């Protein structure tokens, strides 16, 4: 099995959304809100007193796959409002895992959001990540999760419910 490694993306997806780039960035750059739209991440919280996105700010992501649960620490590397939000993910003991990036481009009717992930995990750690997450095909799973997350993001931004009081948006399956 070939695992795409940094600098090659493991998975990517794009969606066009009827919302302004700054609106999309506001949600994308707020990890607790994005966790409500994501597939594998089910919650997130800011660390070290951070409350807003800024380069160097950190947050913890809580993930699940069936009965498996794990947490990662994420450090923001890019925080360019309306344009790009990105972070690098580490496992315990600061082992690099991945990079996630959201690029936002204006369109005539809103914006286009591209979500991309890169695998950064050292080869020796791959068996541990498979055991922890239950995922052997990380690129394939990330691709499916990106597609679902972008559908949820589109549904949310075009409907504009309150993420913290409403249920996960129901998407139409189109992107």
């Amino acid at each position: 099995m070939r695992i795409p490694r940094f600098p090659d993306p493991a998975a990517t997806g794009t969606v066009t959304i009827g919302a302004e780039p700054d609106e999309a960035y506001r949600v994308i750059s707020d990890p607790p809100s994005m966790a409500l739209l994501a597939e594998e991440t089910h919650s997130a919280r800011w660390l070290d007193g951070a409350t807003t996105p800024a380069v160097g700010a950190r947050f913890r992501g809580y993930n699940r796959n069936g009965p498996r649960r794990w947490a990662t620490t994420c450090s923001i590397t890019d925080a360019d409002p309306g344009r790009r939000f990105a972070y690098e993910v580490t496992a315990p003991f600061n082992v690099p895992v991945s990079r996630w990036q959201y690029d936002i481009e204006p369109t005539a009717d809103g914006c286009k959001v591209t979500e991309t992930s890169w695998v950064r995990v050292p080869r020796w750690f791959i068996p541990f990540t498979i055991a922890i997450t239950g995922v052997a095909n990380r690129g394939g799973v990330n691709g499916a999760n990106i597609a679902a997350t972008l559908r949820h993001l589109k549904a949310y931004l075009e409907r504009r419910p309150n993420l913290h009081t409403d249920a996960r948006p129901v998407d139409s399956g189109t992107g």
Side-chain angles (χ1 to χ4, degrees), residues 57-80:
R58 297 180 332 132
F59 61 94
R60 176 136 316 123
Y62 299 92
N63 308 289
R64 64 178 167 218
N65 178 23
R68 290 177 160 86
R69 305 283 189 264
W70 68 97
T72 57
T73 301
C74 307
S75 299
I76 297 173
T77 60
D78 300 74
D80 187 0

Side-chain angles (χ1 to χ4, degrees), residues 58 71-75 88-98 120:
R58 297 180 332 132
T72 57
T73 301
C74 307
S75 299
E88 295 191 358
V89 180
T90 57
F93 306 107
N94 211 30
V95 176
V97 173
S98 61
R120 297 182 59 241

